[in-house]
Amino acid sequence: MTTAHSLPPFSNRLPANGLVHIDLGERAYDIHISGQAFTTPKFWQGLPAAATAMVVTNTTIAPLYLQQLTNAIEPHYTRVLSVVLPDGETYKNWQHLQTIFDALLTHQADRKTVLFALGGGVVGDMTGFAAATYMRGVPFVQVPTTLLSQVDSSVGGKTGVNHPLGKNMVGAFYQPVRVVCDLQALQTLPVREMSAGLAEVIKYGPIADMAFFDWLEANMSELRAGNAELLSLAVQRSCEIKSWVVAQDEREAGVRAILNFGHTFGHAIEAGMGYGAWLHGEAVGCGMVMAAHLSHRLGLVNQAYVDRLSALIAAAGLPTSGPVLTNSRGDASADIYLGHMRVDKKAEGGQVKFVLVNSAGQASLAAAEDGVVREVLGATCEV
Ligand code: NAD
Ligand code: GLY
């Protein structure tokens, strides 16, 4: 799979300029990355005019950042409302989407109301879907507070909720009008969540930019330690690459699927272990090691490449070998993996598709024989 426009080369010059533009025609918007976003007035100016703003957040983030965001946006609205959801992936469902609509309707929020998603990917995906559907669509702003949401979920317009039969199965493509990342918020992020976010940062190297991969190798321990200057560059480059991909294929008809490197294996781990046992980023990190092994078996990369990627994933504090999956029927672990992979969104007619990589930093989407996948699972799972 080839990409239409060339990606500007990686510049490791510090400080990063903190601005990424995503070119989507009339749905284009800016991503601002700053250490003081909440106290920088220009990031909150020039949004769609409205009487009402509503911040959607959760019980963990509200005590930390709700007042700061309210202070930042208050000058621009007659009233700033808020709705505080319970924290967790388990609440990313229809029932709690309804809580957002209940709050909007109870306060007679009109069709110009601007929603602000203050939180990680769960809050961002739910708020985006609420914005896509409330009164057939109101504007929304992403204010991501996890590393994962700053480098991935807040950008590109995938919104939605989980269904009991599948993750993210009900949703819409709906772009925010702006993304504002405050890097200071990462200071309160639990260590495990930081590592999970780093998985999505690492992803951008193998699929698009080996110079960025080299830079991540050189700087991983500082990034994990929370070095704000380095993090700003990592977030900026991740957003540049994601924007470059999404601008070519907003609704995932083709190339956007490369953003799912490691996700086919990762989703099988998440589903097979029970959602929440492994964080999404942990499963993706391990899934990337598995996908690199598969790329090796299909002749796209050598063993040294697989070892290098595996070492970087480990350096980010992420698992590099998969769990053995079990079920009540006593099926073999590899069969359980394959069963989960067949319901992956990239599967077509039951045929599993994988994102593969080559050593030049390019990705492609291809099917693989079950036998080869079984070999990969045998080599990468703790048996
Ligand atoms: P999350 O939203 O559950 O946040 C992780 C945890 O960190 C939560 O407990 C949250 O309350 C807490 N938290 C958030 N910010 C904090 C902060 N600054 N300080 C302290 N605690 C903080 O998880 P996530 O990893 O951000 O996102 C995962 C979700 O994103 C999944 O639902 C996944 O499906 C979705 N996702 C969406 C896309 C997309 O393109 N839309 C891409 C990747 C993932
Ligand atoms: N997180 C993958 C995508 O946005 O397409």
Side-chain angles (χ1 to χ4, degrees):
M1 198 175 303
T2 53
T3 44
H5 312 286
S6 59
L7 175 70
F10 175 56
S11 162
N12 61 9
R13 187 136 33 99
L14 292 167
N17 74 2
L19 178 65
V20 178
H21 181 72
I22 175 160
D23 187 5
L24 289 169
E26 61 185 14
R27 292 178 302 287
Y29 53 95
D30 288 334
I31 301 157
H32 298 279
I33 302 148
S34 164
Q36 289 111 27
F38 292 125
T39 50
T40 305
K42 69 177 179 188
F43 295 144
W44 311 103
Q45 291 161 354
L47 290 165
T52 304
M54 179 178 275
V55 181
V56 182
T57 189
N58 75 22
T59 47
T60 303
I61 301 152
L64 296 168
Y65 303 111
L66 178 55
Q67 192 56 54
Q68 290 188 57
L69 177 59
T70 303
N71 292 346
I73 63 177
E74 230 162 22
H76 306 290
Y77 304 95
T78 308
R79 56 181 184 162
V80 176
L81 309 171
S82 61
V83 56
V84 180
L85 303 172
D87 183 6
E89 181 77 34
T90 170
Y91 303 106
K92 186 181 169 182
N93 57 22
W94 199 262
Q95 184 194 337
H96 289 86
L97 188 68
Q98 186 75 4
T99 308
I100 303 175
F101 297 136
D102 290 349
L104 286 163
L105 289 165
T106 302
H107 292 96
Q108 297 174 331
D110 63 24
R111 65 192 329 168
K112 288 194 161 178
T113 300
V114 181
L115 301 189
F116 288 78
L118 175 67
V122 169
V123 166
D125 284 11
M126 290 182 74
T127 309
F129 191 37
T133 47
Y134 183 66
M135 295 202 176
R136 301 197 177 86
V138 295
F140 86 112
V141 178
Q142 288 273 17
V143 189
T145 60
T146 61
L147 183 59
L148 184 141
S149 57
Q150 295 187 350
V151 301
D152 190 353
S153 63
S154 65
V155 175
K158 281 188 181 175
T159 74
V161 294
N162 300 329
H163 184 276
L165 296 180
K167 189 162 149 53
N168 294 330
M169 284 296 165
V170 182
F173 285 99
Y174 192 71
Q175 301 294 341
V177 294
R178 189 175 293 173
V179 180
V180 184
C181 302
D182 191 309
L183 297 167
Q184 199 66 35
L186 302 180
Q187 299 297 328
T188 53
L189 198 62
V191 170
R192 201 175 154 201
E193 297 289 351
M194 192 72 181
S195 289
L198 284 167
E200 301 283 10
V201 175
I202 292 170
K203 163 183 91 177
Y204 293 112
I207 64 167
D209 186 355
M210 287 308 279
F212 184 47
F213 187 90
D214 296 342
W215 182 85
L216 289 171
E217 284 183 320
N219 293 288
M220 187 48 75
S221 58
E222 283 289 301
L223 288 165
R224 276 187 82 186
N227 180 316
E229 205 173 36
L230 296 178
L231 278 169
S232 72
L233 188 54
V235 173
Q236 175 150 343
R237 187 57 176 168
S238 301
C239 290
E240 282 170 0
I241 296 172
K242 179 147 189 189
S243 300
W244 170 69
V245 173
V246 171
Q248 294 169 67
D249 179 21
E250 185 180 356
R251 297 174 72 93
E252 202 167 312
V255 71
R256 184 168 178 166
I258 69 172
L259 296 172
N260 290 323
F261 177 49
H263 286 56
T264 308
F265 288 105
H267 281 155
I269 295 174
E270 281 185 276
M273 292 300 287
Y275 287 104
W278 281 48
L279 297 180
H280 175 72
E282 292 170 336
V284 167
C286 183
M288 286 192 281
V289 175
M290 293 168 154
H293 271 271
L294 183 59
S295 303
H296 174 42
R297 273 162 210 268
L298 297 175
L300 294 167
V301 294
N302 58 22
Q303 184 61 45
Y305 176 99
V306 179
D307 294 343
R308 218 182 133 193
L309 178 59
S310 187
L312 183 58
I313 303 279
L318 294 159
T320 56
S321 42
V324 172
L325 300 182
T326 55
N327 66 14
S328 56
R329 289 196 304 273
D331 293 334
S333 178
D335 290 331
I336 303 174
Y337 269 93
L338 283 162
H340 287 301
M341 288 176 192
R342 288 196 184 96
V343 294
D344 186 87
K345 282 207 264 335
K346 287 185 297 307
E348 283 170 19
Q351 191 179 40
V352 188
K353 294 271 182 71
F354 296 90
V355 179
L356 304 174
V357 288
N358 68 21
S359 51
Q362 292 161 332
S364 55
L365 195 64
E369 299 289 332
D370 281 4
V372 186
V373 178
R374 285 176 192 280
E375 282 171 23
V376 169
L377 292 169
T380 55
C381 290
E382 308 152 344
V383 189

